[in-house]
Amino acid sequence: MLRSAGVVAMCSVAILAAAVAVIGFRSHGSEIPAYTLEGTVPALALRFAVTPLSAPFCALLAILTTAVALWCMRRGSPGEPLLIALFTAAMLLVLVARSAALFFFAWETMSLVSAFLVAAHHERRGVRRATFTYLVVAQTGALCVLVALTLLALAAGDTSFAGIAAHATRLSPGLRDTVFVFALLGFGSKAGLMPLHFWLPRAHPVAPASASAMLSGAMLKVALYGLLVVTLELAAPGPSWWGLALVAIGTISAVGGVLYALVDHDLKRLLAYHSVENVGIIVIGIGVALLARSAGSSALAGLALVAALFHTINHGLFKALLFLGAGTVNDVEGTVDLERLGGLWGELVWTAPFFLIGCVAITGLPPFNGFASEWLTFQSLVGGVSGGGPTVTFVFVAAIAGLALTGGLAAACFVKVFGVVFLGESRRLNARPAVRERFDASTMAVAFLAGLCIVLGVVPTLAVVPLAGVVGKTLGLVVITPQALPVLPATLVLLPLAGALLCVAMAARRRIRFVPTWTCGSPVTVAAQYTATAFSKPLRTIFAFVLLPERQRRYQMGSSRWLPERISYRTESRYVVDEGARHFAAVVLRFARRFRLVQSGSLRMYLAYALAALIVTVALAR
Amino acid sequence: MMQLLAQVVSIAVLAPLVQGVMKRLRANLQGRPGPSPLQPYRDLAKLLNKEALLPYGVSPIPLIAPGIVLGVAVTFASVLPIVAPNAMGSIVDIIALAFLLGLGRFALALAALDTRSSFAGMAASREMAFGSLVEPALLLALLGGAVLGRGTHLSFLLDAPFGLAGMLAFAAFFLVLLAETARVPIDNQETHYELTMIHEGLVLEYSGWQLAMLQYAGYIRQLCFLVLAAMLLPGGAEGWRHLPWILGLIGAVTVVETLFAKLRLFEVPQLFGTAFIFAVASIGLRVLGGLA
């Protein structure tokens, strides 16, 4: 009952989001006012409106909510759908908020509801800690967003976004930069940009799969939307260093995210690190767009922003697909530890092929959607290399190299994920009878997302044309997309596909004989199968200067000195950023202890504080 | 269209010969008589007639992976700007090509992991690791013309000015070529020692016509890389004028294989680092030289 109610609520939100998206895509102007709730204080007026820029985000929200609702019909706990519906509604509210007060209210609602989602299994201590970390980051970030919006509103003397945007050109450079830094801190921490990403790999493994799909697929994107609104509209036009900074931060996030994903063997945490990576790729696109805009080359700006928006949608699709697939794996096996999984291809007969599509898509290989948007991002980077002095060249070449490295490392990582989880033999400790998956609502959800990954990959124009319209309306220019794009993915995979079919035909004509794996004559055992830790070993060693792996080998000797009975091997990476965050937290706590005096614990005292705060506010507001 | 077909067919026909010549040359340089240059054709014919074996319980991925790899190689052969104008080459640019090569690698590595063999798994792990390290150098070495605003198509390689920047780009790409064609000092095509195999390890479980497909794809890819490397050297706009360079490169690779020993596995990344630095320096020279 609870489940059905939640699913119905999710579907209603999805329909609403789709409607908003359609209005946004079809709009000609910059803003279609929908509703304004005037308060007694004009500064707190709540303005709802639809803009072209929010349309792609609303469309993504609609698609993901539908898919997750489908998945929730079959899997996950019954209470989840209702909470997710609320979460989605809050995100939609952020996207239609066009005044500072409403935006902040929606932003906070989104943060708090998502905290409840993360805390779904709050009976476990680790979950409570992860939720606390998330809340601290979310609230600090929200504070930064509040500062940025307040500064803008004060300067403009108006809290509506339209008013702020109208005043944007008259901002002083110092104020503009301050706003940018606060917006970057606030939105960047929510989006999971390095080095403020550390909450992500903590929150995702403990949140239910459906919640992870929404958090990673949609909420990170809403944060990017916030960044776009501030940089393209409210505080535009920015100086060129904004774009450069974003390209640099994006590259660091992309490479760093994928490196940590590579050595992680918790499937959901690994996917969380890949979110850091992909947000990095999106931010590279945004950075190029800002830089090109400040340099006056509008064609490049349009292309880069289309690439960023396209990758935003694509990442939402395949990341939700992968998280839902991971949820199914968790349901079936009771674990997402890569060292305990394997051979699920034969059991999850539906989820496995769709999960493979997700893996190939997120790696950016043709003909899936990730390829089209990463290719566009590369194009925009190459187009901008020689456009503005040595610093720009240096950063852009680093970004091209970083993006290429990221692509290769992501491929390595997803070969590991798919090869270890779905292929080969199972590594589970306790044998259980094999179950063959049936096609149901949860597999339909993954199939739906996988289908979209294929369609948007093979026919990228389906997404690129509307996105080009959005970018054109937002930036006031005509976007020219590369001529080759519509036919490129199909051209690339035509012959490989033909080759695959040739193999199938050959196998049908001349039977393939099945034999035991060659193991140099020794018996075939599961223990000989390559594990995830073993697979990532070369890259762990090569990137030891970033990952700082520490290993532990323990021998348990038997009767002979030379033949140990048991060898245990453990390896762990040191997370520099996390350690830094912990030190910072310790400093803050030490500082906070000085204010303990005011925490008397007496209720009357707290009431007095509240009254004093009220009096001060009223006095200031007059 | 006919010209394009002729290009692909001639690369496909000549690729095994190039492999045979390189093998013969290497043997002669090492003081051995070596097999006939036509031996690869005979090997392929022999393998094609043999039955294919696969391990028990594999998914369809190892079945179709050889076809994907072969398709990738033939696509690679079709986009080279040897004939002009090249319809395929005007669609598939350098960046897309890098992704395409990644697709073949991805399919083969998954197939290797599915075979449950530790050797194949080890090879897959190394191949993916080195593949990801090669990619930045590969892209940056080829993008020299693109950063000058000429566009990202392979045909623009032909009229990129040479000079110091061109030499650096070529040096970077030569190292990439050694890695991508599984040559000493990075890999060894003739190894029979499972623990040192990279590319040979990946295909360890393959046999019969499937192995023939994979080997043939390897030959085609090798010739394509040689052609691309030759195009980074100064020459006319017409692709076939690079033929002397291709022959020179065949000799150069063989000499490198004879003079050098295989590097220790974890020293290979330093080689890729060198290639990367060369490529970055070449781009830097081109862009900043163009600005000044």
Side-chain angles (χ1 to χ4, degrees):
Chain A
M1 199 49 221
L2 190 58
R3 188 189 293 271
S4 327
V7 169
V8 169
M10 281 178 77
C11 291
S12 336
V13 179
I15 292 167
L16 200 61
V20 174
V22 170
I23 297 171
F25 275 124
R26 293 174 66 97
S27 76
H28 298 290
S30 56
E31 180 176 328
I32 302 174
Y35 182 69
T36 306
L37 197 68
E38 298 288 356
T40 42
V41 186
L44 294 183
L46 307 181
R47 261 173 240 282
F48 300 82
V50 183
T51 55
L53 187 60
S54 65
F57 296 89
C58 291
L60 178 65
L61 204 57
I63 293 167
L64 293 190
T65 314
T66 315
V68 173
L70 268 175
W71 193 83
C72 283
M73 281 168 71
R74 189 68 185 78
R75 295 182 189 274
S77 71
E80 275 164 29
L82 211 54
L83 208 51
I84 294 179
L86 197 62
F87 177 44
T88 319
M91 285 193 278
L92 186 59
L93 202 58
V94 174
L95 294 175
V96 296
R98 292 295 291 173
S99 69
L102 179 59
F103 187 92
F104 189 69
F105 169 73
W107 184 263
E108 275 296 75
T109 315
M110 179 182 88
S111 291
L112 291 178
V113 177
S114 56
F116 278 102
L117 280 171
V118 174
H121 300 287
H122 53 79
E123 64 281 358
R124 290 204 292 263
R125 189 179 144 78
V127 178
R128 291 197 298 272
R129 284 193 67 97
T131 314
F132 182 69
T133 309
Y134 172 51
L135 268 176
V136 169
V137 176
Q139 290 310 304
T140 317
L143 200 64
C144 293
V145 171
L146 186 63
V147 170
L149 289 179
T150 312
L151 284 176
L152 284 170
L154 280 178
D158 188 357
T159 58
S160 78
F161 280 5
I164 295 175
H167 185 267
T169 45
R170 275 171 289 160
L171 287 175
S172 72
L175 183 65
R176 202 189 290 278
D177 288 347
T178 317
V179 166
F180 174 71
V181 169
F182 275 107
L184 187 60
L185 284 173
F187 295 121
S189 63
K190 195 68 153 185
L193 281 177
M194 276 197 174
L196 295 174
H197 67 283
F198 51 86
W199 64 271
L200 247 166
R202 291 199 164 74
H204 277 296
V206 301
S210 49
S212 291
M214 287 314 282
L215 280 173
S216 196
M219 189 182 75
L220 306 189
K221 312 301 150 42
V222 172
L224 291 174
Y225 165 78
L227 189 62
L228 280 176
V229 166
V230 170
T231 52
L232 291 178
E233 202 183 354
L234 301 187
S240 61
W241 75 266
W242 293 10
L244 266 185
L246 286 184
V247 173
I249 293 172
T251 310
I252 292 169
S253 301
V255 177
V258 74
L259 272 179
Y260 284 119
L262 205 61
V263 294
D264 215 301
H265 298 137
D266 174 304
L267 181 53
K268 289 183 73 186
R269 195 161 51 218
L270 178 156
L271 290 176
Y273 275 120
H274 274 290
S275 294
V276 176
E277 174 217 330
N278 278 284
V279 165
I281 296 174
I282 298 168
V283 167
I284 290 177
I286 298 177
V288 176
L290 288 182
L291 193 67
R293 205 174 174 220
S294 67
S297 53
S298 58
L300 184 60
L303 181 68
L305 198 56
V306 168
L309 289 178
F310 193 17
H311 200 68
T312 302
I313 289 184
N314 291 341
H315 177 245
L317 294 178
F318 47 65
K319 189 46 71 67
L321 159 59
L322 292 171
F323 265 122
L324 294 182
T328 306
V329 169
N330 194 21
D331 266 14
V332 173
E333 290 282 352
T335 179
V336 283
D337 181 2
L338 292 186
E339 306 294 3
R340 291 279 156 259
L341 296 167
L344 283 173
W345 179 276
E347 292 191 29
L348 299 178
V349 285
W350 293 102
T351 305
F354 297 134
F355 197 88
L356 177 60
I357 290 174
C359 287
V360 185
I362 195 172
T363 309
L365 293 177
F368 301 105
N369 55 355
F371 164 71
S373 50
E374 283 196 29
W375 184 79
L376 281 173
T377 310
F378 264 114
Q379 291 291 342
S380 61
L381 274 175
V382 172
V385 168
S386 53
T391 322
V392 172
T393 305
F394 178 75
V395 172
F396 273 47
V397 168
I400 293 174
L403 210 51
L405 184 65
T406 305
L409 293 176
C413 192
F414 278 97
V415 164
K416 175 186 85 178
V417 168
F418 195 79
V420 165
V421 176
F422 288 96
L423 303 179
E425 216 66 57
S426 175
R427 295 172 182 79
R428 76 174 75 89
L429 292 175
N430 309 315
R432 61 163 177 77
V435 257
R436 206 180 153 85
E437 189 186 29
R438 275 200 302 266
F439 192 82
D440 58 19
S442 71
T443 41
M444 202 137 74
V446 241
F448 171 56
L449 292 171
L452 282 173
C453 286
I454 297 176
V455 170
L456 289 189
V458 179
V459 198
T461 37
L462 277 182
V464 168
V465 170
L467 289 179
V470 164
V471 170
K473 278 174 249 172
T474 310
L475 299 183
L477 49 88
V478 181
V479 179
I480 307 152
T481 49
Q483 271 183 338
L485 184 66
V487 283
L488 178 62
T491 315
L492 283 176
V493 293
L494 191 69
L495 289 172
L497 202 63
L501 289 176
L502 177 70
C503 280
V504 174
M506 288 278 277
R509 213 162 60 85
R510 306 161 48 171
R511 297 226 143 261
I512 287 186
R513 193 148 61 89
F514 289 96
V515 292
T517 307
W518 168 244
T519 49
C520 300
S522 54
V524 181
T525 63
V526 181
Q529 201 171 216
Y530 235 52
T531 59
T533 308
F535 188 88
S536 55
K537 170 76 184 171
L539 285 166
R540 211 162 54 231
T541 309
I542 293 165
F543 288 100
F545 61 99
V546 185
L547 296 169
L548 309 172
E550 285 167 357
R551 65 179 179 182
Q552 241 181 19
R553 240 179 313 194
R554 206 175 289 141
Y555 295 90
Q556 196 181 325
M557 289 305 170
S559 48
S560 155
R561 272 180 67 197
W562 308 109
L563 290 170
E565 266 182 359
R566 228 181 122 75
I567 304 175
S568 65
Y569 179 88
R570 261 177 76 84
T571 171
E572 228 167 330
S573 292
R574 275 178 55 203
Y575 296 87
V576 184
V577 174
D578 297 46
E579 282 172 16
R582 215 167 290 135
H583 286 307
F584 183 70
V587 171
V588 171
L589 279 180
R590 209 173 307 140
F591 184 69
R593 240 168 247 141
R594 302 200 173 165
F595 291 90
R596 245 195 200 156
L597 271 179
V598 294
Q599 300 279 11
S600 64
S602 141
L603 185 61
R604 271 175 240 162
M605 208 58 199
Y606 288 115
L607 284 174
Y609 290 155
L611 190 65
L614 190 67
I615 291 169
V616 170
T617 315
V618 169
L620 282 179
R622 285 181 69 85
Chain B
M1 198 61 212
M2 284 311 289
Q3 272 187 314
L4 182 60
L5 204 63
Q7 169 183 330
V8 175
V9 169
S10 46
I11 289 181
V13 169
L14 289 174
L17 180 68
V18 170
Q19 170 75 7
V21 168
M22 287 171 91
K23 209 164 181 173
R24 174 65 170 261
L25 205 58
R26 184 181 172 188
N28 289 350
L29 280 174
Q30 292 171 351
R32 294 184 282 124
S36 147
L38 299 178
Q39 191 58 36
Y41 294 101
R42 297 186 195 130
D43 286 345
L44 287 178
K46 176 189 75 185
L47 284 173
L48 267 179
N49 283 319
K50 290 188 128 186
E51 71 172 336
L53 310 177
L54 279 179
Y56 286 125
V58 291
S59 70
I61 295 173
L63 170 66
I64 60 170
I68 295 177
V69 173
L70 185 60
V72 166
V74 176
T75 313
F76 191 178
S78 71
V79 301
L80 294 173
I82 299 175
V83 299
N86 181 336
M88 283 290 274
S90 62
I91 297 172
V92 181
D93 66 351
I94 296 164
I95 298 160
L97 180 67
F99 280 98
L100 182 73
L101 294 175
L103 181 68
R105 185 179 290 136
F106 194 88
L108 204 54
L110 273 187
L113 276 183
D114 201 12
T115 61
R116 300 139 168 87
S117 156
S118 1
F119 299 129
M122 192 184 293
S125 147
R126 290 172 183 175
E127 171 81 5
M128 293 314 288
F130 289 167
S132 55
L133 296 178
V134 164
E135 207 157 297
L138 171 75
L139 265 183
L140 289 180
L142 293 180
L143 282 175
V147 295
L148 296 178
R150 286 202 174 81
T152 52
H153 289 295
L154 280 169
S155 55
F156 296 116
L157 282 181
L158 297 175
D159 47 37
F162 192 65
L164 183 60
M167 271 191 260
L168 285 170
F170 171 76
F173 193 77
F174 187 72
L175 293 175
V176 170
L177 176 138
L178 290 178
E180 290 278 351
T181 54
R183 294 280 168 186
V184 174
I186 291 139
D187 193 359
N188 187 355
Q189 292 190 345
E190 290 173 19
T191 183
H192 294 285
Y193 183 41
E194 290 94 336
L195 290 174
T196 64
M197 290 176 171
I198 302 177
H199 186 261
E200 288 298 304
L202 271 180
V203 301
L204 199 63
E205 286 296 321
Y206 278 109
S207 51
W209 55 268
Q210 287 196 304
L211 185 60
M213 270 177 149
L214 286 169
Q215 289 196 340
Y216 191 39
Y219 299 155
I220 295 178
R221 252 172 58 106
Q222 170 172 275
L223 183 52
C224 292
F225 267 104
L226 287 169
V227 172
L228 262 189
M231 283 175 176
L232 286 173
L233 291 167
E238 288 296 318
W240 289 121
R241 293 212 197 133
H242 292 277
L243 200 60
W245 284 127
I246 296 176
L247 296 178
L249 279 168
I250 290 176
V253 171
T254 323
V255 170
V256 167
E257 278 213 301
T258 311
L259 290 182
F260 289 84
K262 188 172 172 298
L263 279 177
R264 267 191 65 213
L265 192 71
F266 288 112
E267 280 168 13
V268 172
Q270 294 174 11
L271 203 63
F272 296 151
T274 315
F276 175 68
I277 288 165
F278 281 168
V280 170
S282 120
I283 295 232
L285 273 178
R286 279 196 212 278
V287 174
L288 303 179
L291 287 176

